[in-house]
Amino acid sequence: MRILDKIASGDGATKFLLGLDDDARIEAVFLRLEDNNKDSLCISSQVGCALACRFCSTGVIGFSRDLTPEEIVEQVELVLDDLGFVQRRRFDLSYMGMGEPLLNLDAVVSSRDLLRERFKDFTFYVSTVGVTAGIRELARRSPDFGLQISLHAPTDELRSQIMPINRAHPIAEPMSTVDCTTSGCSARPATAAPTTPATRPATTPTASTATPPNTPKPSTSAKTPSPRH
């Protein structure tokens, strides 16, 4: 893996274009979030994406293949080493770049385990468009992950227009897999009784409220397109 291009903006974001050994390309974005007194890295889990969200450039490309755990780890190490990164405050690592991480869950969980060996104090998040089965499996296998659900629209009608997955899995379905409070949401294990969709109001997208994943209520957010979009 190698860095093909790097673009820094004035708002603390640096976008990396990375070349893989088979000449496929992925992107990662490093963010210095001064207002929140933390840093963040948004990384890819797949080459392309099969879910075809209308607002996302990756969805236009289409799906090529999953990244391996080793490729995900190398992506993180390459970016942070290039920046000369030294952790001095909270750091969030989000599987929020190219691809749907819950459709490559084995590699996501394995890469997180490998990354923790070097970056013990990182906070890990998965951002999903609402893959219901994947949310339940994540809760079973790795409940300490932070969870962010990408809504992008307050109603099923609007969401279905911009996110094809909503036609098969309306908002109420992925939301029924999480337990929500005013502080955020955590994935509900598959053994728990699901919330009746008819009793749950439509959820309006909100900005991410980061909560360390070792607390019982990791964040739910609307997935804001990274600078690559």
Side-chain angles (χ1 to χ4, degrees):
M1 189 180 298
R2 61 202 183 280
I3 297 174
L4 300 177
D5 197 10
K6 179 172 68 172
I7 301 173
S9 66
D11 61 359
T14 304
K15 182 170 68 174
F16 289 82
L17 177 64
L18 306 176
L20 307 182
D21 291 343
D22 61 357
D23 293 327
R25 297 182 177 190
I26 58 173
E27 292 184 344
V29 181
F30 181 85
L31 301 168
R32 297 191 186 278
L33 303 171
E34 300 300 341
D35 290 346
N36 295 320
N37 192 34
K38 67 176 182 179
D39 301 310
S40 179
L41 180 61
C42 173
I43 61 172
S44 296
S45 56
Q46 297 178 314
V47 179
C49 183
L51 298 180
C53 296
R54 289 181 58 187
F55 50 81
C56 180
S57 298
T58 307
V60 175
I61 297 171
F63 175 75
S64 295
R65 67 174 178 85
D66 291 330
L67 293 182
T68 67
E70 293 77 16
E71 286 174 325
I72 296 174
V73 170
E74 188 175 3
Q75 174 186 183
V76 175
E77 294 178 335
L78 188 62
V79 168
L80 295 185
D81 288 348
D82 179 80
L83 293 170
F85 175 77
V86 177
Q87 185 177 3
R88 296 185 175 89
R89 55 186 179 178
R90 179 188 170 116
F91 190 92
D92 293 347
L93 189 118
S94 296
Y95 292 79
M96 195 181 186
M98 297 175 71
E100 165 55 58
L102 294 185
L103 295 181
N104 190 19
L105 186 56
D106 287 344
V108 166
V109 173
S110 295
S111 65
R112 188 280 310 269
D113 293 342
L114 292 169
L115 286 164
R116 273 193 168 165
E117 296 178 6
R118 176 177 175 184
F119 306 108
K120 300 183 184 300
D121 296 325
F122 280 13
T123 306
F124 292 85
Y125 286 92
V126 163
S127 180
T128 176
V129 298
V131 179
T132 306
I135 294 173
R136 293 196 186 282
E137 182 65 9
L138 180 69
R140 185 185 71 82
R141 293 176 56 180
S142 299
D144 54 338
F145 257 112
L147 177 67
Q148 298 167 316
I149 297 180
S150 173
L151 297 180
H152 282 293
T155 66
D156 280 321
E157 181 180 7
L158 179 57
R159 194 170 190 259
S160 292
Q161 293 176 21
I162 62 176
M163 301 177 73
I165 192 174
N166 197 72
R167 299 166 196 164
H169 303 287
I171 290 174
E173 185 176 318
M175 293 308 295
S176 73
T177 66
V178 298
D179 292 314
C180 294
T181 71
T182 56
S183 299
C185 296
S186 57
R188 177 186 296 131
T191 54
T195 301
T196 303
T199 64
R200 185 181 294 277
T203 302
T204 302
T206 61
S208 175
T209 304
T211 303
N214 59 356
T215 67
K217 303 182 184 68
S219 73
T220 294
S221 72
K223 182 176 176 181
T224 303
S226 69
R228 62 183 172 82
H229 295 305

